[in-house]
Amino acid sequence: MRNRSITYIFITNRLPINMRRDVYQAIADPVRREIIELLAKDSLSINSIAEKFEVSRPAISKHLKILNECEIIEFKKIGRERLCFIQPKTLLPAFIWIQQYRKLWEDKLDSFENYLNTLPAKTNDHD
């Protein structure tokens, strides 16, 4: 008897998948981290944020949408502008998770520094 295999092809962009975004997805992207950093200093309009990046305005809008879905920022319409405000309390889970590894990485870096200090210093014989 022949061995038959069945191949299943899933087209994921056609299936309705309702996944809730979380803070870790928000901070996974360097542009979103930079947006968070900007908004931690001051509330900004969408246009003001977009001007600070060399990516398209639609790309910035998509990043802002993700940050909003993750509840890290909120939009408020003030006059004709939509301002973005940071919601720092939603970053707390990521901060707590990162903090638990801080000592580990500090110890690893200290160990590496100690190792480097034990290596003989190279002298420059070409002078």
Side-chain angles (χ1 to χ4, degrees):
M1 192 178 239
R2 278 181 37 193
N3 186 4
R4 293 182 185 203
S5 64
I6 299 173
T7 303
Y8 293 97
I9 300 173
F10 293 98
I11 304 172
T12 57
N13 62 348
R14 303 271 187 218
L15 299 175
I17 298 174
N18 295 327
M19 291 178 51
R20 186 176 183 284
R21 296 185 190 271
D22 63 18
V23 66
Y24 303 105
Q25 289 172 313
I27 64 174
D29 186 275
V31 171
R32 290 194 290 270
R33 289 193 302 268
E34 196 169 335
I35 291 171
I36 291 168
E37 187 177 333
L38 288 170
L39 293 175
K41 296 173 188 165
D42 195 13
S43 300
L44 297 169
S45 69
I46 294 171
N47 287 332
S48 296
I49 294 169
E51 289 171 359
K52 299 187 183 294
F53 294 90
E54 293 184 13
V55 295
S56 69
R57 173 123 176 9
I60 293 299
S61 292
K62 184 175 180 179
H63 286 300
L64 292 173
K65 179 181 177 190
I66 292 169
L67 290 171
N68 181 252
E69 289 173 0
C70 297
E71 299 177 349
I72 292 174
I73 67 167
E74 67 177 32
F75 300 110
K76 288 185 183 174
K77 187 165 180 146
I78 300 178
R80 293 182 178 187
E81 290 189 309
R82 282 181 66 199
L83 292 181
C84 301
F85 292 85
I86 193 155
Q87 302 298 310
K89 69 178 185 250
T90 56
L91 292 168
L92 195 56
F95 175 77
I96 291 169
W97 184 81
I98 291 167
Q99 278 299 107
Q100 71 182 343
Y101 295 101
R102 183 179 184 151
K103 175 135 178 54
L104 171 73
W105 283 106
E106 285 175 351
D107 291 347
K108 296 267 185 205
L109 289 172
D110 288 345
S111 175
F112 184 61
E113 181 182 23
N114 291 337
Y115 169 74
L116 291 176
N117 288 335
T118 63
L119 296 176
K122 280 190 171 181
T123 58
N124 193 351
D125 294 332
H126 301 305
D127 291 336

